[in-house]
Amino acid sequence: MTSKSETTSGAVSRRRLIKGAGLAAAGSALAAPAIAQGNPEVKWRMPMFVPKTVESVMDSANDIVRRVSDLTDGKFQIQQFGAGEIVPGGPAVLNAAEEGTVECGFTLSYYSFGKDPAYAFGSTLPFGPTLRGHYAWLFKNGGMELLNEFYESKGTHAIPCGNSTMQMGGFYRKEIKTLEDLKGLKMRIPGLGGLVMSKLGVIPQQISPGDIYSSLERGTIDAAEWAAPYDDFKFGFHKVAPFYYAPGWWEPQATIWLHVNKKKWDELPKNYKAVLEAACIATCTTHNAKSDVLNSGGLRSLIAAGTQLRYFSKEIMDASYDAAFKTFDEMGTKSPAWAKIYPAWKKHIDENELYYRVGDNTYENYIYGRRVKG
Amino acid sequence: MTSKSETTSGAVSRRRLIKGAGLAAAGSALAAPAIAQGNPEVKWRMPMFVPKTVESVMDSANDIVRRVSDLTDGKFQIQQFGAGEIVPGGPAVLNAAEEGTVECGFTLSYYSFGKDPAYAFGSTLPFGPTLRGHYAWLFKNGGMELLNEFYESKGTHAIPCGNSTMQMGGFYRKEIKTLEDLKGLKMRIPGLGGLVMSKLGVIPQQISPGDIYSSLERGTIDAAEWAAPYDDFKFGFHKVAPFYYAPGWWEPQATIWLHVNKKKWDELPKNYKAVLEAACIATCTTHNAKSDVLNSGGLRSLIAAGTQLRYFSKEIMDASYDAAFKTFDEMGTKSPAWAKIYPAWKKHIDENELYYRVGDNTYENYIYGRRVKG
């Protein structure tokens, strides 16, 4: 792949096209005097884990790119590439950022779960906190620093930049009422969620998004999880698997990060690091907001189209919860990074959920019940 | 008050001290050529609604100031002033920003509720959405634009910059079990919450934060609401009023905004507007996180100190809910701004709460119950 990085320093207007090395070779041109002359010109490529048609996720990508440009008077430009354009989706996006074939990648690190299970922490963990609890850990209780130790050991410095929020539990061709109904069920569910499900007898299937519909239709698989209602509706899975379950306990939030190649990050001027951080962290708030404005409408569309909304039974939730925490303990014996990060993550949820329960949860239970009543 | 605004344009290093006019008189020095020469130097004063000792709120103010400085290589400096330093707290902060005696103010607009009830919308409404629902309205469903029409008509352009999240229902000298127990209760509760409470027979008292403790101790008042557990504990109210109620239905989240004097806002270079927006909105993400890391510990400290945690009864919640929405209808006949904003706010909550209920709320009910069980 040919690098499109281009760096121009201040008023001197030097232009360089550097093959392969990106900003690296031009780094020396960005020292203190260059800053005094004005912001340097930087052009980065940002492959994404989704095609550009996934509107709910593009809201985050578009806002980051716009903010970075606005903050630098157009001097720092990031170009988005949908999955498959310059890099395939899935783990390839993070791989490319780690290896430096691109300057940065916009992705969920859990796609690299197979390489090291610790990649799951930054994205989501089954039965972990919902959005606010996860952000509390990341931003104000040491999570971001701890995860960046891990990411940097692999080749990127990363910043949270969006969240697809609480996921649904997927579409099923038949109702799932008891643990017995899960035995032998062929379900499209990747990563850690699939691993936990396999402890309950489910046979996890790795199927790329483009093949889920036809696999469900033909009955090659019995069930598939994808995302939250807005995106789920657009894929049309309800037409071939009418039972739609809540909640998606394996993904109670889904944090997207901007993974910046470590070398490129280190070469950025200090104020451009601040620009990336502010643009990404601001987008954490606004992207969640977008997801939240889309999903209720998506759920209504699904129900109007005949989708049968169901909730996992207590028996299934309890067995899944136990299987999840058992799996977490096993991961610690396989991954030193997991063994280091998990106790901090667990301590955070043990210590910081009390007030959500007493405050927000008590109040939300009341208002949601009351709104239905009118 | 003497203005401390000072503007230096690029490498030319002109220094001006302008009395009273702040950035305004220097505005012409910030035109396009100045940007090309580099970021102009801008110094602003930011009075706050709290003294600097309120740690949970200072986390937001400190992050904004740091981010604005980092994004501009130190060229854009904002100096914080605690309540009482250059402007008193309460509505005075927003007044000063509207009148332009300061460049900006860091406050909750509901303190100006007496001037126009529509000032409440930006901060919080009784029985309104919790944090995510409010942000969804502000950032991705038209709320921010609608509120800025109103704020700009009064003299500021405003950006959300933090959130004190779900509040508690306050401290009471005696248990409150029925509606009868509220009749004649003298309670420190300001603004719209107080107005709704008065419909239930409560006699709202306007008491400044510094006098709440002694008023409760002497029995001049029977109850007082302040904030969430971390801040509440530090005030020590539990020592003189042991019953602590959840939830604070009159304040299900509490958005702090940076109110920028409209004239000062219009004079800012485009990239400095982007800087303020990114710094404030990023702080929306991180300030909530800070509140969430502090409040569970605060609640534990209160309980360890003998505070009796109680929940409002369904009878009280139902009557309060009815009184709140009745009050909202009355406001529409008094304030044209309320009559314009309220239908948009109401439509947002009517249309966008379904998925919180089916997704997050279902899941959170499960995990919080399960965590207690172990």
Side-chain angles (χ1 to χ4, degrees):
Chain A
M1 191 177 310
T2 308
S3 167
K4 289 180 189 163
S5 283
E6 184 180 327
T7 308
T8 310
S9 165
V12 184
S13 192
R14 285 172 292 211
R15 286 186 174 272
R16 305 178 185 206
L17 280 164
I18 299 126
K19 279 192 198 290
L23 184 56
S28 58
L30 303 183
I35 298 171
Q37 289 166 26
N39 291 328
E41 281 190 20
V42 175
K43 289 188 182 174
W44 277 11
R45 294 154 308 159
M46 181 179 85
M48 304 183 292
F49 70 104
V50 287
K52 286 181 180 167
T53 47
V54 182
E55 187 190 341
S56 65
V57 174
M58 285 308 291
D59 185 77
S60 163
N62 292 338
D63 277 356
I64 293 165
V65 165
R66 176 182 57 76
R67 287 193 170 107
V68 167
S69 175
D70 288 351
L71 287 166
T72 58
D73 267 328
K75 299 274 181 71
F76 190 169
Q77 291 293 331
I78 297 177
Q79 188 180 0
Q80 304 138 315
F81 293 93
E85 287 187 47
I86 58 170
V87 170
V93 175
L94 182 49
N95 285 345
E98 289 177 345
E99 290 159 11
T101 52
V102 293
E103 293 80 17
C104 63
F106 173 92
T107 193
L108 293 135
S109 60
Y110 63 19
Y111 289 119
S112 298
F113 176 76
K115 220 161 77 175
D116 190 317
Y119 278 109
F121 285 105
S123 308
T124 197
L125 248 62
F127 293 106
T130 49
L131 189 146
R132 266 174 60 191
H134 189 63
Y135 280 180
W137 180 54
L138 291 182
F139 293 113
K140 294 287 176 179
N141 212 11
M144 214 166 127
E145 295 77 7
L146 195 57
L147 292 180
N148 262 317
E149 268 183 40
F150 171 67
Y151 291 142
E152 291 187 2
S153 77
K154 304 289 186 184
T156 66
H157 176 90
I159 312 163
C161 64
N163 203 303
S164 295
T165 75
M166 185 82 218
Q167 306 285 288
M168 283 292 287
F171 295 89
Y172 298 74
R173 288 162 54 98
K174 288 188 289 191
E175 274 192 273
I176 302 297
K177 292 181 173 174
T178 66
L179 284 169
E180 206 51 48
D181 296 331
L182 290 176
K183 300 240 160 73
L185 192 87
K186 283 182 283 182
M187 178 172 183
R188 187 266 175 193
I189 176 170
L192 197 42
L195 208 58
V196 175
M197 274 290 200
S198 72
K199 286 198 157 46
L200 307 178
V202 168
I203 306 165
Q205 311 286 308
Q206 308 296 331
I207 294 172
S208 66
D211 296 329
I212 299 174
Y213 187 96
S214 61
S215 302
L216 272 177
E217 189 174 32
R218 287 197 312 267
T220 317
I221 56 174
D222 306 302
E225 68 89 44
W226 178 239
Y230 182 79
D231 290 321
D232 281 350
F233 177 65
K234 295 216 294 188
F235 269 85
F237 302 135
H238 58 284
K239 294 174 199 161
V240 285
F243 299 101
Y244 190 39
Y245 277 78
W249 50 259
W250 50 88
E251 200 157 357
Q253 52 81 35
T255 310
I256 304 164
W257 296 59
L258 185 72
H259 281 268
V260 180
N261 176 267
K262 181 67 171 60
K263 202 156 176 288
K264 305 283 191 300
W265 173 257
D266 290 339
E267 288 162 3
L268 277 185
K270 186 168 164 283
N271 63 328
Y272 276 26
K273 288 181 183 170
V275 161
L276 279 184
E277 277 175 352
C280 288
I281 298 174
T283 305
C284 282
T285 290
T286 56
H287 182 225
N288 315 337
K290 184 69 177 186
S291 303
D292 288 345
V293 166
L294 294 172
N295 278 324
S296 289
L299 185 51
R300 261 182 224 105
S301 301
L302 280 162
I303 293 168
T307 306
Q308 303 289 309
L309 179 64
R310 295 286 185 276
Y311 295 90
F312 288 123
S313 63
K314 188 170 180 305
E315 179 193 37
I316 287 175
M317 292 295 281
D318 282 344
S320 304
Y321 191 94
D322 291 335
F325 282 84
K326 198 176 160 213
T327 306
F328 298 163
D329 289 337
E330 291 167 6
M331 292 296 114
T333 65
K334 291 177 184 168
S335 157
W338 183 287
K340 180 171 184 184
I341 299 167
Y342 181 69
W345 178 88
K346 185 67 167 46
K347 185 169 187 284
H348 171 79
I349 64 171
D350 287 347
E351 291 181 355
N352 293 287
E353 286 186 346
L354 174 65
Y355 187 54
Y356 295 135
R357 178 162 64 82
V358 170
D360 290 85
N361 185 245
T362 301
Y363 175 80
E364 287 167 351
N365 281 339
Y366 179 79
I367 61 164
Y368 298 149
R370 177 64 201 239
R371 307 267 211 251
V372 170
K373 212 181 90 185
Chain B
M1 191 178 312
T2 308
S3 167
K4 290 181 189 162
S5 282
E6 184 180 327
T7 309
T8 310
S9 166
V12 184
S13 192
R14 284 171 293 209
R15 286 186 172 272
R16 306 179 185 205
L17 280 165
I18 300 125
K19 279 191 197 293
L23 184 58
S28 58
L30 303 182
I35 299 171
Q37 288 165 28
N39 290 329
E41 282 189 19
V42 174
K43 288 186 183 175
W44 277 10
R45 295 154 306 159
M46 181 178 85
M48 303 183 293
F49 69 105
V50 287
K52 286 181 180 167
T53 47
V54 182
E55 187 190 341
S56 66
V57 173
M58 285 307 290
D59 185 77
S60 163
N62 292 338
D63 277 356
I64 293 165
V65 165
R66 176 182 57 76
R67 288 193 170 107
V68 168
S69 175
D70 288 351
L71 287 166
T72 59
D73 268 327
K75 299 275 182 70
F76 191 169
Q77 291 293 331
I78 297 177
Q79 187 180 359
Q80 303 138 316
F81 293 94
E85 287 187 47
I86 58 171
V87 171
V93 174
L94 183 48
N95 285 345
E98 289 177 344
E99 290 159 10
T101 52
V102 293
E103 293 80 16
C104 63
F106 173 92
T107 192
L108 292 136
S109 61
Y110 63 19
Y111 289 119
S112 299
F113 177 76
K115 219 160 79 174
D116 190 317
Y119 278 109
F121 285 105
S123 307
T124 196
L125 248 62
F127 293 106
T130 49
L131 189 146
R132 266 173 60 191
H134 188 64
Y135 280 179
W137 181 53
L138 291 182
F139 293 113
K140 294 287 176 178
N141 212 11
M144 214 166 127
E145 295 77 7
L146 195 56
L147 292 181
N148 262 317
E149 269 182 39
F150 171 67
Y151 292 142
E152 291 188 3
S153 78
K154 303 289 185 185
T156 66
H157 177 88
I159 313 163
C161 64
N163 203 302
S164 294
T165 75
M166 184 83 217
Q167 306 285 289
M168 282 292 288
F171 294 89
Y172 298 74
R173 288 162 53 98
K174 288 188 288 191
E175 274 193 273
I176 301 297
K177 293 180 174 173
T178 66
L179 284 169
E180 206 51 47
D181 296 331
L182 289 176
K183 299 243 160 73
L185 192 86
K186 284 182 283 182
M187 179 172 181
R188 187 266 175 192
I189 176 170
L192 198 42
L195 208 58
V196 175
M197 274 289 200
S198 72
K199 286 198 157 47
L200 306 178
V202 168
I203 307 166
Q205 311 286 309
Q206 307 297 330
I207 294 173
S208 66
D211 296 328
I212 299 175
Y213 188 95
S214 60
S215 303
L216 272 177
E217 189 174 31
R218 288 199 311 268
T220 316
I221 56 174
D222 306 304
E225 68 89 43
W226 178 239
Y230 183 79
D231 290 322
D232 281 350
F233 176 65
K234 296 217 294 188
F235 269 86
F237 302 134
H238 58 286
K239 294 174 200 162
V240 285
F243 299 101
Y244 190 40
Y245 277 77
W249 50 259
W250 50 87
E251 199 157 358
Q253 51 81 36
T255 309
I256 305 165
W257 296 59
L258 185 72
H259 281 268
V260 180
N261 176 267
K262 181 67 170 61
K263 202 155 175 288
K264 305 281 190 301
W265 174 256
D266 290 339
E267 287 162 4
L268 277 186
K270 186 169 163 283
N271 63 327
Y272 276 25
K273 288 181 182 170
V275 161
L276 278 184
E277 277 176 353
C280 288
I281 299 174
T283 305
C284 283
T285 300
T286 57
H287 182 226
N288 316 335
K290 184 69 177 184
S291 302
D292 288 345
V293 166
L294 294 173
N295 278 324
S296 288
L299 185 52
R300 261 183 224 104
S301 301
L302 280 162
I303 292 168
T307 306
Q308 304 290 308
L309 179 64
R310 295 287 185 277
Y311 295 90
F312 288 123
S313 63
K314 188 170 180 306
E315 178 192 39
I316 288 175
M317 292 295 281
D318 282 345
S320 304
Y321 191 95
D322 291 335
F325 282 84
K326 198 177 160 212
T327 306
F328 298 162
D329 289 337
E330 292 166 5
M331 292 296 113
T333 65
K334 291 176 186 170
S335 156
W338 183 287
K340 180 171 184 185
I341 299 167
Y342 181 70
W345 178 89
K346 185 68 167 47
K347 184 169 188 282
H348 171 79
I349 64 171
D350 287 348
E351 291 180 356
N352 293 287
E353 286 187 345
L354 174 65
Y355 187 55
Y356 295 135
R357 178 161 65 81
V358 170
D360 290 84
N361 185 244
T362 301
Y363 175 81
E364 287 168 350
N365 281 339
Y366 179 78
I367 60 164
Y368 298 148
R370 178 64 202 241
R371 307 268 211 252
V372 170
K373 212 181 92 187

